[in-house]
Every structure is written in structure tokens, then in C-alpha cells.
């Protein structure tokens, strides 16, 4: 695995203890902030449900989860389980996930940056919605993308 493929940006104290918890609490109460959901995935060793706030992207008739921080725990768990749940308030939606190869991530990453660059742009290390295809493709291995069904 290359350094890009091993990329993980750990959230700081404020993000982990204030921002993510606030977004998760609002989403659990039924208030979706710009498409936010609470992702529930079983832990790969414990089997216990793990929860994280995520941005669900709809693009060209498909839905995607993108990990702007790289190889997070939820990414590792989803790779093993291949399924999870998305929640907004009391609405629970089960899904299966298929991880996309780097060669097909470009349009999804570009749309993600267009929609949520204001929130997650800091994790894309200088790449934004106006970057060239070559620039976005070069960073694709560091950003896991899952298509949901």
C-alpha cells in the first residue's frame, strides 16, 4: 500500500468532541445538515455498532459515501462488513456498499468537492472543485469511495 493509500487524518479534539457530536445529535433528531446522515457499521472485530456522521452524496442516480479523512475506522469496518445503516431521525435505511476503484472515482470526488468543499476542503490538501482531472485523479487513492445500494 502506498503512502497515499494509507492516508488518515485524525480529527482534532474540537471536531471529535464538539462538531461531529453536534451534527450527529441533530441528524439523530431528524435534522439533516446538507445531506448529513448517521452511518452505522458493525465493528470488524467487536461486531458492535459504530456510529459516525457522514455526508451522503447523490450523483448521476447513485449514492455514495466518501471518506475525506482517508482510511478511517468506518472505512475499515465497511470494507469488512460490506453493509451498514444510514439514519436520519427515526428513519433507518439498510444498505450494501461496493468500494470504487481509483480509476472511476474522478466524477464522484469532483461532485463531492463541489457540494461539500466548504466543509471538507481542508482535507483535500489544495485540491478543489476547479482542480484539473489529473490533479483529482492523483489524490484518488487516498479517498475511499463507496457506492451504496
Amino acid at each position: 500500500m502506498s503512502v497515499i493509500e494509507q492516508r488518515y487524518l485524525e480529527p482534532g479534539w474540537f471536531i471529535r468532541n464538539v462538531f461531529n457530536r453536534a451534527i450527529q445529535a441533530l441528524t439523530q433528531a431528524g435534522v439533516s445538515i446538507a445531506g448529513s446522515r448517521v452511518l452505522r457499521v458493525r465493528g470488524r472485530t467487536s461486531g458492535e455498532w459504530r456510529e459516525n456522521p457522514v455526508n451522503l452524496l447523490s450523483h448521476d442516480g447513485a449514492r455514495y459515501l466518501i471518506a475525506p479523512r482517508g482510511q478511517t475506522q468506518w472505512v475499515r469496518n465497511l470494507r469488512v462488513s460490506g453493509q451498514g445503516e444510514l439514519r436520519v431521525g427515526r428513519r433507518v435505511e439498510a444498505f450494501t456498499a461496493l468500494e470504487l476503484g481509483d480509476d472511476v472515482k474522478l466524477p464522484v470526488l469532483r461532485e463531492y468537492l463541489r457540494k461539500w468543499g466548504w466543509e471538507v476542503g481542508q482535507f483535500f490538501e489544495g485540491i478543489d472543485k476547479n482542480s484539473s482531472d489529473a490533479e483529482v485523479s492523483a489524490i484518488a487513492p487516498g479517498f475511499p469511495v463507496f457506492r451504496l445500494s
Side-chain angles (χ1 to χ4, degrees):
M1 221 182 233
S2 74
V3 172
I4 290 176
E5 292 170 324
Q6 295 175 19
R7 180 184 162 280
Y8 172 61
L9 301 175
E10 186 173 352
W13 183 91
F14 179 80
I15 296 296
R16 187 176 54 252
N17 293 298
V18 178
F19 184 78
N20 280 356
R21 287 183 182 181
I23 295 297
Q24 187 167 336
L26 285 168
T27 304
Q28 286 174 330
V31 179
S32 176
I33 307 297
S36 65
R37 302 288 191 275
V38 173
L39 169 67
R40 289 174 38 99
V41 180
R42 295 244 183 224
R44 60 193 178 281
T45 55
S46 71
E48 295 179 18
W49 286 107
R50 304 295 183 192
E51 296 184 346
N52 292 86
V54 294
N55 293 323
L56 179 64
L57 176 68
S58 293
H59 179 63
D60 285 344
R63 298 175 332 135
Y64 301 92
L65 290 178
I66 293 92
R69 292 181 178 277
Q71 308 301 319
T72 63
Q73 294 299 320
W74 74 257
V75 166
R76 294 173 185 163
N77 290 337
L78 191 53
R79 282 178 177 149
V80 171
S81 71
Q83 59 189 358
E85 295 178 350
L86 291 173
R87 292 180 165 217
V88 175
R90 293 182 182 174
R91 193 176 83 223
V92 178
E93 176 189 356
F95 67 85
T96 58
L98 174 67
E99 188 167 8
L100 299 185
D102 296 334
D103 58 330
V104 295
K105 290 180 185 177
L106 176 64
V108 178
L109 289 174
R110 187 169 300 289
E111 179 62 13
Y112 189 75
L113 285 166
R114 187 194 67 73
K115 188 165 184 180
W116 283 297
W118 60 272
E119 180 187 346
V120 299
Q122 63 186 324
F123 308 126
F124 281 80
E125 299 146 5
I127 302 298
D128 64 22
K129 65 182 179 182
N130 299 314
S131 296
S132 72
D133 286 354
E135 291 171 321
V136 176
S137 293
I139 64 155
F143 295 85
V145 176
F146 296 88
R147 183 174 48 234
L148 307 184
S149 55

